[in-house]
Amino acid sequence: MNIVTSAYDWKEIKKTLPKESIGLVPTMGNLHEGHLSLCKRACDENDIAVVTIFVNPGQFNQYEDYQAYPRTLEKDIEMLMPYSVDYLLLPKIEDMYFFDNAIEISEKQLSKQLEGAFRPGHFDSMMTVVLKLINLTSATRAYFGEKDYQQLSLIKKMAQYLFLPTTIVGCETIRAADGLALSSRNARLDVESRKKAALFAHILKNTSQPETAKAELIKNDIAVDYVVDQWDRRLGAVWINGVRLIDNVALSEVEALGEHTCKLQF
Ligand code: AMP
């Protein structure tokens, strides 16, 4: 795995690469098995796999959160070693933002809902960085987790509306044994909060209505930003002991809807 620490070095390297398929996995680092599942697919499905680590300040609503985001480069490199990732690209802030960050793309509908309503500006900045990474790498395919379902939907929409030649590949959510979706934020949960976080995943999947899920979460001392059934998914965002977690599950997998789904089929 070659480690490239600037976008400009990468541009020079890219000129030397054969015209083969390139799989891109954009991340913010602090890697876990969820990220690695994306990396594995990028390696399996492309001639060249590029993983990027860029902690994008524009995606954070509080500067303190950006500063506190775990940066674990050495461990990340170790975790990537068993995979056949060809390049680990670590763009600098100035590579991605230039000196004035004067150009940003903006989505006016989907990005304003749910996560977008709670995190103003988050999605526009995320999409801009993803677009830059896609262009920089000339990715044939780019891999994103269903865990961040609204993000994945927005990236697919961006690729369609901007006629990007890149295929956006959604990858299933990797979960801990107790059902909690893996996330860099989970490390901030103490033992008690970690149990509640597993309950969040369980309640999302095992209640018939979003309102019931919400009531059940609140009963368990979990603060709820939203739980909704939308886009054939149940999506939720909660706060557990100061840590904000998001998750979603296909409605076809919501156990409590099983009977109802069957009825619809007959
Ligand atoms: P992040 O580093 O949090 O920006 O995530 C980088 C990519 O990994 C995004 O496409 C995420 O959706 C994806 N990802 C994060 N957690 C998981 C997970 N548990 N399972 C699958 N993909 C994930």
Side-chain angles (χ1 to χ4, degrees):
M1 185 170 74
N2 297 288
I3 299 172
V4 185
T5 57
S6 99
Y8 296 93
D9 291 348
W10 162 258
K11 278 172 82 170
E12 290 310 308
I13 292 169
K14 225 198 127 265
K15 286 180 196 161
T16 68
L17 296 180
K19 287 204 182 333
E20 290 179 327
S21 60
I22 295 180
L24 168 68
V25 182
T27 80
M28 298 211 297
N30 194 226
L31 302 183
H32 51 65
E33 292 296 325
H35 298 113
L36 295 179
S37 71
L38 273 53
C39 297
K40 185 174 181 322
R41 280 197 67 179
C43 292
D44 289 349
E45 296 171 10
N46 300 276
D47 299 309
I48 295 167
V50 183
V51 175
T52 64
I53 297 180
F54 178 66
V55 184
N56 175 19
Q59 278 175 236
F60 293 81
N61 294 100
Q62 312 288 338
Y63 186 66
E64 301 76 56
D65 277 352
Y66 165 67
Q67 276 183 314
Y69 199 82
R71 288 151 173 95
T72 52
L73 184 59
E74 276 183 26
K75 187 162 165 269
D76 292 347
I77 292 171
E78 234 171 76
M79 289 181 81
L80 288 171
M81 279 309 182
Y83 298 85
S84 43
V85 172
D86 298 280
Y87 293 96
L88 174 62
L89 176 56
L90 311 168
K92 297 183 174 52
I93 297 237
E94 55 271 30
D95 297 348
M96 300 306 283
Y97 275 44
F98 294 83
F99 65 94
D100 56 3
N101 195 30
I103 295 186
E104 192 173 71
I105 63 162
S106 168
E107 198 278 346
K108 295 175 175 58
Q109 293 170 347
L110 177 54
S111 71
K112 307 296 179 205
Q113 304 170 31
L114 301 183
E115 281 304 283
F118 286 92
R119 304 179 70 186
H122 167 79
F123 281 133
D124 283 349
S125 183
M126 176 280 294
M127 279 189 291
T128 304
V129 164
V130 167
L131 179 62
K132 290 181 189 196
L133 292 172
I134 283 177
N135 284 336
L136 190 61
T137 56
S138 309
T140 315
R141 298 180 190 85
Y143 295 80
F144 299 90
E146 284 181 350
K147 153 85 167 47
D148 301 283
Y149 197 79
Q150 196 176 357
Q151 167 174 288
L152 170 63
S153 307
L154 274 161
I155 293 165
K156 283 186 174 167
K157 185 174 182 181
M158 172 177 77
Q160 185 190 358
Y161 280 37
L162 300 185
F163 303 109
L164 297 186
T166 308
T167 302
I168 306 302
V169 185
C171 304
E172 70 171 292
T173 302
I174 305 298
R175 297 177 180 279
D178 60 6
L180 175 64
L182 298 188
S183 163
S184 306
R185 290 166 180 238
N186 295 352
R188 285 160 55 191
L189 299 166
D190 60 30
V191 177
E192 205 49 41
S193 313
R194 176 65 186 73
K195 279 188 203 154
K196 276 190 190 171
L199 204 56
F200 168 41
H202 180 79
I203 290 172
L204 214 54
K205 210 178 158 198
N206 290 283
T207 40
S208 61
Q209 298 299 322
E211 286 69 30
T212 327
K214 236 183 269 181
E216 198 64 26
L217 287 162
I218 292 165
K219 211 162 62 184
N220 283 282
D221 203 21
I222 298 173
V224 181
D225 274 352
Y226 61 82
V227 178
V228 292
D229 287 357
Q230 204 166 305
W231 313 311
D232 279 336
R233 318 283 298 187
R234 174 159 305 159
L235 304 109
V238 299
W239 287 91
I240 297 175
N241 203 10
V243 181
R244 190 170 186 279
L245 299 177
I246 61 169
D247 197 357
N248 71 90
V249 59
L251 282 180
S252 59
E253 283 173 38
V254 173
E255 307 285 350
L257 287 177
E259 216 181 301
H260 180 59
T261 313
C262 275
K263 270 188 197 143
L264 277 179
Q265 280 168 353
F266 284 108

